[in-house]
Amino acid sequence: MGNEQMSEKLEAPIIIVNFKTYSEATGKRAVDLAKKAEKVNRETGVHIGVAPQFADLAAVTEAVDIPVFAQHVDPIKPGSYTGYVLAESVREAGAIGTLINHSERQLKLSDIDQVIRIMRENCMLSLVCANNPSISAAVASLKPDMIAIEPPELIGTGIPVSKAQPEVITGTIRLVREVNEKATILCGAGISNGEDVAAALKLGTQGVLVASSIVKAKDPYMIMTEFAEATKGRR
Amino acid sequence: MGNEQMSEKLEAPIIIVNFKTYSEATGKRAVDLAKKAEKVNRETGVHIGVAPQFADLAAVTEAVDIPVFAQHVDPIKPGSYTGYVLAESVREAGAIGTLINHSERQLKLSDIDQVIRIMRENCMLSLVCANNPSISAAVASLKPDMIAIEPPELIGTGIPVSKAQPEVITGTIRLVREVNEKATILCGAGISNGEDVAAALKLGTQGVLVASSIVKAKDPYMIMTEFAEATKGRR
Amino acid sequence: MGNEQMSEKLEAPIIIVNFKTYSEATGKRAVDLAKKAEKVNRETGVHIGVAPQFADLAAVTEAVDIPVFAQHVDPIKPGSYTGYVLAESVREAGAIGTLINHSERQLKLSDIDQVIRIMRENCMLSLVCANNPSISAAVASLKPDMIAIEPPELIGTGIPVSKAQPEVITGTIRLVREVNEKATILCGAGISNGEDVAAALKLGTQGVLVASSIVKAKDPYMIMTEFAEATKGRR
Amino acid sequence: MGNEQMSEKLEAPIIIVNFKTYSEATGKRAVDLAKKAEKVNRETGVHIGVAPQFADLAAVTEAVDIPVFAQHVDPIKPGSYTGYVLAESVREAGAIGTLINHSERQLKLSDIDQVIRIMRENCMLSLVCANNPSISAAVASLKPDMIAIEPPELIGTGIPVSKAQPEVITGTIRLVREVNEKATILCGAGISNGEDVAAALKLGTQGVLVASSIVKAKDPYMIMTEFAEATKGRR
């Protein structure tokens, strides 16, 4: 499936599952998990994307027909960069975009800017993570396609979105919108169950970026179904 | 093919081709180039390995039956390391080892040590690059399976191995052997043609690590054949 | 002199001289150069600040009565951070602020944010460098005290400010002002002589951040005087 | 005092106190602590060195007549390296050497090698930290003047040297001596009291590298005196 068609598949609300480097989502198990995501997508109609490890990208994109993201891309063009991640290589492996600046893989400011540009040149989507309100606003100025906001109140304290002060989310959204009207805003923290997903959307985000609550679940298919159904309340 | 069988295939002399992030060796072109390497291996009997980008590993290992290396692996265990390269993921993609500390992707000393240990735990091969004699000796103390020595005289000045002072290579080999009798020693710089390959082996290395002289060649198949034939002079 | 008084001394227009790690501005020569800057300040009334190396900060601040900046501060609090630069240590050495994210010492986005916060907590000034318009806007969202804009057109091509398209500077200033009305904006590239200084101020910046044009000059005192006089045209 | 004379003052046994970025050893308190170290040196005759932060180096070296080390130096020559630490600058500030690769400030292997060379060119001492036996041997190949071994058994578990298996220390010393007969070997972990100091020396090290046990002590003068006296048992 071409990148253009994939992008069309990314209308909100969207759930993106970050596979991290979890054993439960490495190699064959990455493919298995992606197939479950695809099944939930087919059954619920809700858009679900996955972000497997680099070496698993090709097998995953071959096995499923849902949007696949890389977890990181380096700010490089083709050349002598042994051991780095080239946009063209993940695109050829079938990814339609990449996470950028995940809190576990933070980048220099100028590199975030550079990777966003490279994604654009390659007709790929950029999803930049930002772990506080002022950083979210800074990221928004760089005009990525998507921003995952991770309010520190939701990370540090373990408070779920559904129990948090609404301003924690709405304030960040407002800051982002002041400089960027178009970027899709995802909630990237505090999501453990369907109630949290519904709360995140109700507060104004267009989706969620999740990891362990799905990947480490006893029954990821069931949890993804719960998350997907929860997005429907607002439609 | 299992890793054990692959390792057996790695008897010296060996030629390893680093695909870097060259356009000429990305995506489908990585598979094409690997197939040419396999053809040369079949025709000459000389062991040829390839080191494609992460996202190309699975397609390459599926297409060919020669040893495939990753270009880098991070010093991590399965867990929350979004955007990093897990040994288990490149192993599941079919790689039998990895380059470590390439001059374009240098690591902290303790990370080199850690990646070598992780490779060993995963029954994979560690090939550490070292860009001067004292660094080569330091690396040898860490007991990797293979060391690619890159004498600065051969990098900085563009002098090919076949024209260099023999001591440039033999001195480094002696330093390595003082602390490590077993590691396979490759020559990682100064190799442009068959004459250089023959000279590197004559001086005591067990193979070569090459990149642009193959990948950027008009006819990589022809150059790989030349390199492979050149290794036979010493047998 | 207390930090509060120093800050008052920083009214625009201001010239800040980055000593980098130039031999000409290391150790005793850093003190000598700072004394010349102070002399120019006394004679012209124009505010001139200097940014010497860490180990030279104390000697410079003891010798002169002009604003002194560190070249970098790490995003750390007191604790176990051997080899890192603590805000409190450079403050005690007499610095009133620090450069942040200089193009030669770029930081992760979240670290820029963190260092700005730490500076504020220590009642010190943050001067963040930004090397293109969108990065300048991103930096502005983080609310630093000062921003040094470095339009790539002025770096890449060697075009001086006085000969550049005015939009190169004014466009960046406008982007910054959309999200930050207060920060002092310096021109951080393309300044070689008094004409460039005058042009930078005329286009709307409040000063300049310079390095080699002063430090490497045959007669730094003369060039600093030229720069200082050039700022007066607009008053 | 010139560097040459300082080096002579560094005969074993030696105690080196790393000030880290502790509040208790920043600014004026760095000078106070160094003066106490000097007092203990005068009273006991035992060599005590200190490693304050960069910005405190000049004030400390002016105040005391004992060996002063930087905590880190960057692998650079004079030039355009804003925010980095130049060997020449810490030397002019009076330091006679530097810690390298402290576990809190680890370097790339080639950078360790480069900083050791730069120290040698500046007639300064290199003290490289190594946090396991194979890394200690690797470091020894690079020919630094001093090596601080930090057996992981002593870090991870909190076991003091005096209670540890003797082989933990002696095994590492043997590995180091196989490739380097001259380097001064310090014990860089597991030292909390005089008994530990005596044990470290008895096992074959020539001194200790300590931090919190001195800097965070209620009475650093008393503890340094205890450490100094403990070194005398073996003479």
Side-chain angles (χ1 to χ4, degrees), chain B residues 101 106-113 117 129 131-135 137-139 141-142 178-179, chain D residues 101 106-113 117 129 131-135 137-139 141-142 178-179:
Chain B
N101 197 47
Q106 294 188 45
L107 300 185
K108 290 178 184 175
L109 172 55
S110 64
D111 287 346
I112 298 174
D113 184 58
R117 290 172 196 274
C129 301
N131 58 2
N132 75 33
S134 58
I135 290 176
V139 160
S141 295
L142 304 177
E178 277 174 21
V179 291
Chain D
N101 196 46
Q106 294 188 43
L107 301 185
K108 290 178 184 174
L109 173 55
S110 65
D111 287 346
I112 298 175
D113 184 58
R117 289 170 198 273
C129 302
N131 58 2
N132 75 32
S134 59
I135 291 176
V139 160
S141 295
L142 304 177
E178 278 174 19
V179 290

Side-chain angles (χ1 to χ4, degrees), chain A residues 58-220:
Chain A
V60 167
T61 61
E62 195 171 341
V64 300
D65 194 28
I66 56 175
V68 177
F69 289 76
Q71 292 179 9
H72 167 79
V73 159
D74 281 300
I76 58 166
K77 305 277 173 131
S80 291
Y81 300 99
T82 300
Y84 287 93
V85 180
L86 183 69
E88 285 81 352
S89 79
V90 304
R91 193 192 59 195
E92 281 216 40
I96 64 153
T98 188
L99 308 191
I100 300 171
N101 197 46
H102 188 277
S103 61
E104 293 160 12
R105 186 74 154 100
Q106 295 188 44
L107 300 186
K108 291 178 184 175
L109 172 54
S110 64
D111 287 347
I112 298 174
D113 184 58
Q114 187 63 16
V115 177
I116 292 171
R117 289 171 197 274
I118 288 172
M119 284 294 107
R120 206 174 292 138
E121 289 164 18
N122 281 278
C123 301
M124 298 177 75
L125 296 173
S126 51
L127 164 45
V128 184
C129 302
N131 58 3
N132 76 32
S134 59
I135 290 176
S136 298
V139 160
S141 295
L142 304 177
K143 311 294 180 202
D145 298 298
M146 309 168 85
I147 301 174
I149 61 175
E150 301 170 314
E153 290 84 348
L154 305 185
I155 302 176
T157 61
I159 295 174
V161 172
S162 54
K163 309 284 188 233
Q165 306 270 16
E167 302 81 53
V168 164
I169 302 286
T170 55
T172 303
I173 294 173
R174 198 172 49 243
L175 280 173
V176 168
R177 287 294 176 233
E178 277 173 21
V179 290
N180 187 321
E181 293 174 8
K182 291 199 299 188
T184 300
I185 301 178
L186 305 184
C187 182
I191 306 289
S192 297
N193 54 44
E195 192 185 355
D196 298 331
V197 174
L201 296 177
K202 198 173 165 200
L203 290 167
T205 64
Q206 282 107 46
V208 295
L209 172 63
V210 293
S212 62
S213 59
I214 302 278
V215 181
K216 296 268 188 189
K218 276 197 183 168
D219 187 344

Side-chain angles (χ1 to χ4, degrees), chain B residues 125-188:
Chain B
L125 295 173
S126 50
L127 164 45
V128 184
C129 301
N131 58 2
N132 75 33
S134 58
I135 290 176
S136 298
V139 160
S141 295
L142 304 177
K143 311 296 179 201
D145 298 298
M146 309 169 86
I147 301 173
I149 60 176
E150 301 170 314
E153 289 85 348
L154 304 186
I155 302 175
T157 61
I159 296 174
V161 173
S162 54
K163 308 283 188 233
Q165 305 271 15
E167 301 82 53
V168 164
I169 302 286
T170 55
T172 302
I173 295 174
R174 198 172 49 244
L175 279 173
V176 168
R177 288 294 175 232
E178 277 174 21
V179 291
N180 187 320
E181 293 173 8
K182 290 199 299 187
T184 300
I185 302 177
L186 304 184
C187 182

